Amino acid sequence: FIGSSTTPDEAYAVSGSSARMESKYAVIAFAAGNLYTGQFGKIAGVGAELDWGTPFTSRPSSLKGYYSYAPKAIDRVKAPYENMMGQMDKCQILVLLTDWDEQFRINTTAGKFVDIASDPHIIAHAVLESDQPTDGFVEFDLPLEYRDFERKPKYVVVACCASYLGDYFTGGEGSLMHVDEFEFVY
């Protein structure tokens, strides 16, 4: 119904092209503009199944890059987020290092997501969330918080979205995020 909510953008970039993510509403559901490491599984009900993670065995200290954000007020909500109506949307950049035995299967329709606070397989994580509009690209350096320095990572997840509650079909239609020049710092 909505086509792609993530596209390359050569006209607006730090160098080369950036990833452009815009949150949209289709006839049946709200979809956050997003990108992530892993694969798209399939459409599941009004949502999707996503296989999060790419094989990765290093221990970076941070993720560095650039983002720009133009948030909109939240105008699409689904339980239990009705109280968010009218609040400013937020973008999110998330990094996870895990020792999962396989990719994690997200199912947005069934409400199956990674529980960052209690998943024992998460070795390190970092998150950037902001509801502030930027004037062009802003550089960030996001330090990873390690929970364990002994276990070796098997997967990395880097996920970005224009509406941080998009997995829950909640956000601001038209919230727009660009990301560019990501690199791990060691």
Side-chain angles (χ1 to χ4, degrees), residues 119-136:
D119 186 329
H121 296 283
I122 295 176
I123 295 169
H125 73 287
V127 65
L128 179 152
E129 289 181 351
S130 178
D131 64 356
Q132 298 299 305
T134 63
D135 183 17

Side-chain angles (χ1 to χ4, degrees), residues 40-74:
F40 179 82
K42 63 181 181 177
I43 297 293
V46 296
E49 291 183 4
L50 314 173
D51 294 323
W52 267 20
T54 298
F56 188 82
T57 58
S58 296
R59 292 180 167 276
S61 58
S62 67
L63 176 71
K64 184 177 176 182
Y66 295 85
Y67 80 98
S68 72
Y69 190 50
K72 299 291 183 184
I74 293 173

Side-chain angles (χ1 to χ4, degrees), residues 59-63 95-97 124-126 142-146 184-185:
R59 292 180 167 276
S61 58
S62 67
L63 176 71
V95 182
L96 302 175
L97 295 179
H125 73 287
L142 189 57
L144 275 85
E145 296 177 27
Y146 278 84
F184 281 118
V185 176

Side-chain angles (χ1 to χ4, degrees), residues 9 12 18-21 66-68 137 176-180:
D9 189 340
Y12 186 69
S18 66
R20 180 185 190 278
M21 296 162 278
Y66 295 85
Y67 80 98
S68 72
F137 279 93
L176 179 63
M177 181 181 192
H178 285 81
V179 295
D180 202 0

Side-chain angles (χ1 to χ4, degrees), residues 13-30:
V14 175
S15 67
S17 66
S18 66
R20 180 185 190 278
M21 296 162 278
E22 183 177 357
S23 296
K24 299 178 180 181
Y25 183 77
V27 175
I28 58 172
F30 176 80

Side-chain angles (χ1 to χ4, degrees), residues 29 47 52 54 69 75-76 82 94 100-101 107 111 114 118 121 128 130 132 161 167 171 186:
W52 267 20
T54 298
Y69 190 50
D75 58 357
R76 301 289 178 177
E82 296 91 348
L94 172 69
W100 296 325
D101 289 328
N107 185 319
V114 175
S118 65
H121 296 283
L128 179 152
S130 178
Q132 298 299 305
C161 61
D167 285 343
Y186 293 86

